[in-house]
Amino acid sequence: MFKTLKNDLPASVVVFFVALPLCLGIALASGAPLFAGIIAGIVGGIVVGALSGSKIGVSGPAAGLAAIVLTAIGTLGGYQNFLVAVVIGGAIQIIFGLLKAGIIGYYFPSSVIKGMLTGIGIIIILKQIPHFFGYDPDPEGDFAFFQVDGENTFSEIFNAINNISLGATIIAITGLAILILWDKVFSKKGKFFQIIQGPLVAVVLGILYFVFTKDSETFGISAKHLVSVPIPEDAASFLAQFKFPNFSAITNPEVWITGFTIALVASLETLLCVEASDKIDPNKNVTPTNRELLAQGTGNIISGLIGGLPITQVIVRSSANIQSGGRTKLSAIIHGLLLLISVILIPTLLNMIPLSVLASILFIVGFKLAKPSLFIKMYRMGWKQSIPFFVTVFGIVFTDLLVGISLGLAVGIIVILLKSYQNSHFLHIEDNSNGKHKIKMTLAEEVTFFNKGAILKELDSLPRDTYLELDLLKTRYLDNDIIEILEDFSIKAKERGIDIKLISKRGVVENPTSYIEFFNERPKSDLSLS
């Protein structure tokens, strides 16, 4: 793992700068103590990073859980009661892992995963525009269309345009220029520019700009446009930021319902992010999903026990890690250590970082996730791939992550049903001699109840006096519903002068008296023909 330290260390620094404002912003959006977001980031980096089988995934507090957390803190009677639900959620995730529930992640269509990545990229860019211009009423990490400040994604952008902070905008544009030049020009000039990452240079420049312009009314950056890490006065006040669960609330049924909700949503988000991060991983590593659930569950138990927010694997941090050259889990672990060390040793320095500079870093992350060329590529792949993709993208932008993915998945299932409808059989008209239409229908390898409509339509459309050759030689699985269709059609066939020749591995028969009897008289179960 340490062989790739030269790659993982610079990547961990970039992930740290991406994670820091998101940890704080998600905590603020969740109605939780700001330090709770930092705790979740530290545990997600160090604990989950160490236990996970993912080489490039990074975990931390999740924006998708912010609304659940905000509601639960109020209904459960306080944050410490809510922490009990976080611990319960972690335990349930471990049970999910032991039950091998991680396989669920493999059942999301590729087009939906690509739509998820693209949608998140777009939403990152849109949500960072106000921060880029120094207009920050909505906290970092609020990725839902309808925001906690009462605005929506687009109304917030219009408000930002009318409330531009000159100083924040200047350093944001400068930082963005540095990032682009570093990526396109400087990184190719030597090893120094590969080890020292552009985001670190942009952040250092941002701090220097703040220091030298803080007394200027025109070019200065006000405190509300800076990172805001809690600054403890001494060791005792630092330790006082850790909260502990009130386990007397464990008898409250609402706590258990919240715990199960956290486990379900966090597991689903994690599995989706695992699938997405593996897809953009240049080394094409495959993450063991059941182990990931065990790692996430352990992380949530620990986070809940010491006052942190719920944790999931997060695609924003994971993609930043991949884009910055992270190779192993060491980058995730170091990013967690950097969060821990920085909030202990240099919280005052952290609070000099302009949010607009961090917005410029996230701009690059978002753009690389949502490149315009991908839209063209998905469109050219045809409607079966492009429709679920675009539905997922628009769903994420105009609702939130889980709703957008659910919409894309629903459309993907409809596409699968349509494809199944179309691929149930093949028709081949061989000849029309002697006044008889001779038609050959070859059934697919697997024919299920999804195919009922297509087969019924073709059988009903057969003209009178047809000789139908029904070929099942390649069919390994034939659903009982299809057998019943054939059984019912045999009556209509006699009335319309249709003769049927049935060809299968069980034999060849002309006009069978009973299809159910032919297939071993098992009308109440699905039949295998292999």
Side-chain angles (χ1 to χ4, degrees), residues 153-225:
T153 303
F154 295 104
S155 66
E156 193 82 350
I157 292 172
F158 290 129
N159 290 338
I161 293 172
N162 295 322
N163 295 275
I164 292 176
S165 170
L166 184 59
T169 305
I170 288 173
I171 193 59
I173 294 172
T174 305
L176 186 60
I178 289 172
L179 292 169
I180 294 172
L181 286 171
W182 215 273
D183 184 49
K184 300 297 183 182
V185 181
F186 296 153
S187 63
K188 300 176 176 63
K189 297 295 184 181
K191 288 186 177 180
F192 173 81
F193 296 105
Q194 295 172 2
I195 295 173
I196 304 299
Q197 292 283 306
L200 177 60
V201 177
V203 168
V204 170
L205 189 63
I207 294 173
L208 293 173
Y209 179 88
F210 167 73
V211 171
F212 287 114
T213 63
K214 61 182 179 181
D215 296 326
S216 171
E217 291 185 6
T218 304
F219 297 104
I221 301 176
S222 66
K224 65 181 179 180
H225 301 321

Side-chain angles (χ1 to χ4, degrees), residues 288-318:
T289 52
N290 294 314
R291 178 175 169 180
E292 187 66 28
L293 290 178
L294 294 173
Q296 295 290 336
T298 304
N300 273 317
I301 290 174
I302 295 173
S303 184
L305 287 173
I306 60 176
L309 291 172
I311 295 167
T312 73
Q313 190 177 123
V314 188
I315 193 60
V316 179
R317 288 163 229 200
S318 300

Side-chain angles (χ1 to χ4, degrees), residues 15 18-19 22-23 26 40-41 44-45 48 54 56-65 116-117 120 124 141 143 266 268-274 276-277 280 292 296 310-322 332 335 362 365 369 401:
V15 177
V18 169
L22 293 179
C23 288
I26 291 169
V48 179
S54 175
I56 38 76
V58 184
S59 297
L65 286 167
M116 168 189 164
L117 288 166
I120 290 173
I124 288 172
F143 289 159
L268 182 58
E269 281 206 26
T270 292
L271 293 174
L272 286 165
C273 290
V274 163
S277 57
I280 60 175
E292 187 66 28
Q296 295 290 336
I311 295 167
T312 73
Q313 190 177 123
V314 188
I315 193 60
V316 179
R317 288 163 229 200
S318 300
S319 58
N321 186 30
I322 294 167
H335 121 273
L362 284 165
V365 173
L369 286 174
L401 177 63

Side-chain angles (χ1 to χ4, degrees), residues 80-88 244-252 255-256 301 304-306:
Q80 289 178 289
N81 291 347
F82 167 74
L83 291 176
V84 180
V86 178
V87 175
I88 291 172
F244 304 101
N246 174 25
F247 281 108
S248 63
I250 201 167
T251 56
N252 183 355
V255 170
W256 285 88
I301 290 174
L305 287 173
I306 60 176

